[in-house]
Amino acid sequence: MYSLAEDRHRQHLIFNSPSTYLHQRFLPPFVLSSSCEVNQGTPFWKLLISSFSSSELISIACDYPVAQQSIFTRFDNLSPADNPFDPNSIHVTSPVASSLVLAQARLLFASYTLLTLLFTLIRSAVRDHYANDYFSYFTHLSYIGLCAYFFAAGVQTFAFSRSTDTASYPLQKWPRPFQFLHVLLQVTITTYPVVVTVIFWALLASPATFENAVTSWTNVSVHILNLVFAMAEILFTNIPPAPWLTLPLSVLLLACYLAVAYITYADQGLYPYDFLDPEQQKGLLAAYIIGILGCYCIAFLVVRFLIILRIRLVTRRRENAVSRESITEWEEVEDPTKDSVV
């Protein structure tokens, strides 16, 4: 049996605290919890989709957060009813603001990134009379990802803030592939901006970067504010750490961009970035590619660490608040021996 204080503390952690996600810090990603079952006959592609769409989901019915859903979790079908996505609505809540404020912030970021994209694209077409290579730059592609994510997440968060009765949002009921894509997009918009910002200011920035007010604003928007938006999502929302399997998949997307760069050269006769030119860089080309890969892996680990650190800090603050509340309630309870007759 639980005492009053223990029961209140347990219920608080179950329904209000993200501390259950700390299991990812203690358990390797491919270790199966004792509370999970393995269906050896489950096709790998179903397990793969499950790991991306719900690997951060765990059973909150336990006193200790150990029920990890990894690629070995039982996954008999793709029905969200059998393995619900985000039952605690982690993806649409914040530790520092209401869901409505979070939705407004995400939609504001989305609107700003869309305005920036439209301005830079139209300016390239009208002023420079050449916009054919606009979508060949990784900076623009990653910025489009930011815009798409903040619009999608903002709409989902707004829907959650208005669902006072059910406390749910549409993505929870959508097919698994859409949930998987949302998680993958979330991973890319929190990691790719780090790579874009580091590479630009380390290799590509020049005096022309701040040549005039317009170029200064565009470069600040796509090479500084992109990282600001990503850090806001990392630090001020309840999003969980990225599933480990998203690391190789996001690296694969980076490799696909290399194909885009060389397709651009074959089609238009130019490389989006000079360091990708094999004739100019020669042996350094492999070093650049490996360096970018290493930079991304480090960025992935740093972002994951920051998210876990934020979860620990938020959990500690909430646990302290619950402890103070419980102590206050116990102090108000009368001593049962006080009125007894000797």
Side-chain angles (χ1 to χ4, degrees), residues 65-174:
V66 295
Q68 181 181 13
Q69 291 184 349
S70 66
I71 64 168
F72 296 111
T73 305
R74 182 181 180 87
F75 191 64
D76 292 327
N77 55 61
L78 293 177
S79 172
D82 297 329
N83 190 13
F85 174 82
D86 193 15
N88 293 333
S89 303
I90 296 298
H91 290 277
V92 291
T93 55
S94 167
V96 296
S98 66
S99 295
L100 180 59
V101 172
L102 178 60
Q104 293 170 343
R106 282 173 164 172
L107 292 174
L108 178 63
F109 293 164
S111 300
Y112 181 86
T113 54
L114 178 61
L115 173 65
T116 303
L117 288 167
L118 291 176
F119 177 84
T120 53
L121 177 59
I122 294 171
R123 185 171 183 266
S124 298
V126 175
R127 179 179 177 274
D128 302 332
H129 304 289
Y130 192 81
N132 293 342
D133 62 344
Y134 184 87
F135 297 102
S136 297
Y137 288 94
F138 188 74
T139 296
H140 295 154
L141 295 177
S142 63
Y143 210 71
I144 291 171
L146 272 173
C147 181
Y149 172 79
F150 281 121
F151 266 121
V155 170
Q156 297 291 335
T157 307
F158 181 77
F160 175 77
S161 69
R162 309 307 296 174
S163 61
T164 55
D165 296 334
T166 58
S168 62
Y169 58 100
L171 184 62
Q172 292 173 314
K173 302 179 180 65
W174 289 4

Side-chain angles (χ1 to χ4, degrees), residues 26 52 67 91-92 98 157 175-176 180 191 200 263 272-273 288 291 342:
F26 301 102
F52 284 110
H91 290 277
V92 291
S98 66
T157 307
R176 286 291 190 211
F180 154 72
T191 54
F200 178 80
I263 289 173
Y273 302 103
Y288 278 121
V342 179

Side-chain angles (χ1 to χ4, degrees), residues 27 30 53 70 95 196 305 316 319:
L27 296 179
F30 300 107
S53 62
S70 66
V196 168
F305 169 79
R316 183 176 303 174
E319 288 176 348

Side-chain angles (χ1 to χ4, degrees), residues 28 40 44 47 61 66 76 81 84 123 126 133 152 175-176 192 197 237 241 256 286 294 308 328 336-337:
Q40 299 294 341
F44 177 76
L47 294 172
V66 295
D76 292 327
R123 185 171 183 266
V126 175
D133 62 344
R176 286 291 190 211
Y192 286 170
T197 302
T237 72
C256 290
I308 292 175
T328 301
T337 63

